[in-house]
Amino acid sequence: MKWSFIDNKNWPHYVVANADESEPGTFKDREIMESNPFQFLEGLALASYAVGATVAYIYLRGEFWQVAAFLDEKIAEMEKAGYLGDNLFGKDYSLKIFTHLGAGAYICGEETALLESLEGKRGQPRVRPPFPPSFGLYGKPTIINNVETFTNVPMILANGADWYKSMGTQDSAGVKIFSLSGRVRKPGNYELPFGTTFRQLIYEHGGGIQEGRPVKAIMAAGASSSIIVVDDKVLDTPMDYATVRTIGADLGSASVIVLDDTVDIDWVVNKTIHFFKHESCGKCTPCREGNYWMKNLTTRIHSGDGSKADVDLLLNVAKQMQGKCLCALGEFSTMAVVTGIERFPQDFKKVVKA
Amino acid sequence: MSLEKKYQKEIKQILAKYPPEQKRSAVMPILYLAQREEGYVNKAAMQDIAKLLDITETEVASIIGFYSLYHDEKAGKYRMQVCNDLPCALRGADEFLNNLCGNLGIKVGETTADGLVTLEAVTCLAACDKAPMFQTQGPDGIKYHENMTIDKTLELIEALKRAEGEVK
């Protein structure tokens, strides 16, 4: 666990909650914070106590203005009840929790970009190492986890690790909040054990596909995903990290976007690149320039003005970027492009001139 | 009046969140204060912030430029920011945005003639299961409006107009 890496020779320590979720397809943190604020805040407080941090920050994306105000109220309630503040539970330990609003930048979900932003700078990722547990906020040892992770802590401590491990699969213990979106009848957040199949998520929980149409493709980790060609075998694949890898994808944030047979993959690729082009922070050249050119190419291809050579060039640009970007954003931006073109060639053939 | 005088209490509260030697951290919350009234950060406010936090005006400007929710130009009193990223578009966000443009008689990026609403298309707002959706950014902060229809949106705009009339 990240917490054990914290540098105990350098003080003070900080704990930061990453509530900057802004990946297309991911929408669990807001629901957790709005419907279960105290479990989240308790997890954050426990983490702070564990590493001896006396100040913790919750970095929320700026759009979560109302959520921040709501959490401020809950923090005040906890202070009043004696669960936050000075000399907690008669111990020589004090803790303050503060909310901090970002201002609309996906990249601030990357932990070192988040720290830069919290320090009052542009949110651009740092070169790593050093990692935040040794050099984090204000250069001090810092633990950063996301909202879901902190929220899991109180239950695991209360019931024990064995209880948590009794759910899920051998590879991926416990439960996960699956964010289901796209062409399903009942999109939403579903907390289920790891190992639940795509079919169970989509049909039992999500109510199936609109108009009873077939599933054409799945993106299992939001806009950052490989696009999976769907057949019966894929639908029956258990969702844990190891097994999803065997079908050429990653489970990542478990943000499952479902595409039916009315959706053209060249359009999907254009949409995802529109997002990454807008959110690229501009610090490293492969991501900044690569996304600019991928945007031009996907727009031309999708508009019907593209040629086969444009598709080849698009694939080439994406592959050139892989392994060369400073942070995961650049890497992620190529996933839908490469897998879209390689796995759904007919969708691209259809729109380009010969 | 300088920003510091105008929002004395708020600025004090903001600065208390961060270590005294790290007051630069306060730049983001103070920028929200600075654009509260006019919907954008004017030159004088940028100078005030730079002075208050011991950073350069260029640094303040670079932060405004980097983040989508800070503005250095005047727009409508409310920015109506519709998400049309992939998951929202799979639930009809593009059609919704087009219809809204038609109903308001403006294009994306334009402002209604009465100066009340600027329509914008934005990237993911993390409400993919409740599309079509948008947020309004205005003097009272940022609010989400989810599972929207054109009718509900036009009603919301009417309500904003009425509130405007009452203020005047």
Side-chain angles (χ1 to χ4, degrees):
Chain A
M1 202 168 206
K2 266 188 195 176
W3 303 2
S4 60
F5 296 129
I6 199 144
D7 178 356
N8 281 318
K9 288 189 241 34
N10 191 359
W11 294 84
H13 292 170
Y14 290 102
V15 172
V16 178
N18 182 346
D20 188 63
E21 76 176 347
S22 30
E23 161 101 23
T26 307
F27 45 88
K28 61 187 165 55
D29 291 350
R30 180 164 64 110
E31 192 162 332
I32 294 171
M33 291 186 287
E34 283 179 343
S35 55
N36 210 354
F38 290 119
Q39 192 177 327
F40 161 58
L41 292 169
E42 185 184 348
L44 186 56
L46 288 166
S48 303
Y49 181 65
V51 300
T54 58
V55 174
Y57 292 101
I58 305 168
Y59 183 102
L60 300 109
R61 61 177 302 173
E63 291 82 352
F64 288 173
W65 185 282
Q66 289 167 299
V67 187
F70 175 73
L71 286 180
D72 283 340
E73 278 172 31
K74 300 297 147 193
I75 291 167
E77 281 176 37
M78 284 176 75
E79 282 171 352
K80 212 171 155 198
Y83 297 136
L84 287 175
D86 293 328
N87 297 104
L88 293 170
F89 306 103
K91 287 190 188 305
D92 182 24
Y93 176 70
S94 306
L95 176 64
K96 282 207 165 96
I97 296 180
F98 297 114
T99 57
H100 179 102
L101 280 172
Y106 168 72
I107 187 61
C108 292
E110 196 282 329
E111 59 184 21
T112 59
L114 184 151
L115 294 174
E116 288 286 297
S117 179
L118 187 49
E119 290 181 2
K121 301 169 192 161
R122 283 171 292 153
Q124 294 182 317
R126 297 174 180 168
V127 177
R128 291 153 297 159
F131 293 95
S134 52
F135 188 94
L137 181 64
Y138 309 129
K140 297 296 175 188
T142 301
I143 295 300
I144 311 184
N145 283 114
N146 76 13
V147 172
E148 190 180 11
T149 305
F150 285 121
T151 307
N152 280 335
V153 171
M155 300 279 278
I156 296 174
L157 284 185
N159 298 311
D162 288 337
W163 163 79
Y164 191 73
K165 283 183 190 158
S166 73
M167 297 175 284
T169 66
Q170 197 141 31
D171 167 73
S172 313
V175 294
K176 181 89 188 85
I177 295 179
F178 294 87
S179 299
L180 180 64
S181 68
R183 289 292 167 99
V184 290
R185 287 202 177 98
K186 292 191 291 181
N189 287 314
Y190 298 94
E191 186 170 33
L192 300 165
F194 279 109
T196 303
T197 66
F198 285 108
R199 191 189 298 278
Q200 286 167 325
L201 177 66
I202 294 169
Y203 288 94
E204 281 174 32
H205 302 284
I209 306 301
Q210 290 172 14
E211 300 165 18
R213 305 195 73 96
V215 182
K216 173 177 179 173
I218 288 173
M219 299 174 80
S224 301
S225 305
S226 318
I227 309 178
I228 310 169
V229 184
V230 169
D231 55 19
D232 277 340
K233 183 180 149 260
V234 166
L235 282 176
D236 290 320
T237 303
M239 291 183 284
D240 64 37
Y241 293 106
T243 314
V244 172
R245 243 169 259 137
T246 65
I247 56 168
D250 272 298
L251 188 57
S253 56
S255 308
V256 180
I257 305 176
V258 181
L259 310 170
D260 68 12
D261 65 339
T262 65
V263 179
D264 294 320
I265 301 301
D266 64 297
W267 174 81
V268 172
V269 169
N270 189 37
K271 276 281 178 196
T272 59
I273 290 303
H274 172 79
F275 172 78
F276 285 112
K277 153 80 175 61
H278 185 270
E279 298 300 340
S280 175
C281 82
K283 183 165 177 169
C284 77
T285 312
C287 177
R288 183 184 64 237
E289 298 300 319
N291 270 293
Y292 172 81
W293 286 107
M294 290 202 295
K295 172 79 177 113
N296 285 353
L297 285 163
T298 59
T299 304
R300 192 192 303 163
I301 292 165
H302 179 62
S303 73
D305 286 334
S307 64
K308 190 182 168 297
D310 287 328
V311 178
D312 294 341
L313 181 59
L314 174 61
L315 185 61
N316 190 0
V317 172
K319 287 193 168 170
Q320 293 275 350
M321 289 169 65
Q322 292 184 331
K324 301 189 184 72
C325 298
L326 179 62
C327 81
L329 188 150
E331 211 63 38
F332 288 159
S333 70
T334 66
M335 300 302 287
V337 175
V338 171
T339 56
I341 295 173
E342 287 182 346
R343 298 175 187 175
F344 298 87
Q346 67 284 4
D347 286 39
F348 287 84
K349 245 180 225 156
K350 225 168 45 188
V351 290
V352 297
K353 298 169 193 155
Chain B
M1 199 193 314
S2 79
L3 206 63
E4 204 180 350
K5 279 208 181 110
K6 192 167 178 182
Y7 294 112
Q8 210 172 6
K9 189 173 135 240
E10 287 90 341
I11 288 176
K12 206 175 150 200
Q13 278 172 352
I14 290 169
L15 286 171
K17 288 184 172 187
Y18 311 100
E21 70 282 8
Q22 302 290 352
K23 60 183 180 178
R24 179 179 179 150
S25 278
V27 67
M28 294 183 75
I30 292 177
L31 279 171
Y32 280 119
L33 273 185
Q35 66 179 16
R36 187 190 272 179
E37 271 187 5
E38 297 182 300
Y40 73 105
V41 186
N42 64 36
K43 188 90 177 129
M46 278 189 220
Q47 289 167 345
D48 287 348
I49 294 172
K51 210 171 133 202
L52 183 67
L53 302 179
D54 290 331
I55 52 180
T56 65
E57 256 178 77
T58 312
E59 284 171 312
V60 178
S62 83
I63 289 162
I64 296 171
F66 186 84
Y67 296 97
S68 311
L69 292 174
Y70 300 130
H71 312 286
D72 55 8
E73 278 179 2
K74 195 165 172 57
K77 183 161 183 183
Y78 293 90
R79 291 168 187 265
M80 188 170 273
Q81 298 163 328
V82 181
C83 173
N84 66 344
D85 259 329
L86 176 65
C88 281
L90 288 167
R91 290 176 60 80
D94 284 327
E95 293 84 348
F96 172 79
L97 184 58
N98 273 338
N99 289 339
L100 198 53
C101 285
N103 273 280
L104 297 177
I106 54 173
K107 291 189 201 122
V108 172
E110 291 179 348
T111 304
T112 52
D114 57 5
L116 190 67
V117 172
T118 299
L119 190 59
E120 297 176 332
V122 298
T123 53
C124 189
L125 298 178
C128 317
D129 56 335
K130 300 184 184 73
M133 64 80 59
F134 57 84
Q135 64 183 6
T136 47
Q137 188 182 14
D140 48 355
I142 293 167
K143 284 185 183 152
Y144 271 40
H145 306 272
E146 301 175 310
N147 293 315
M148 290 306 279
T149 59
I150 294 293
D151 284 346
K152 273 161 76 179
T153 309
L154 295 177
E155 272 169 40
L156 171 75
I157 294 174
E158 281 309 312
L160 292 175
K161 264 186 205 159
R162 280 196 300 276
E164 189 73 354
E166 281 159 22
V167 174
K168 278 175 187 166

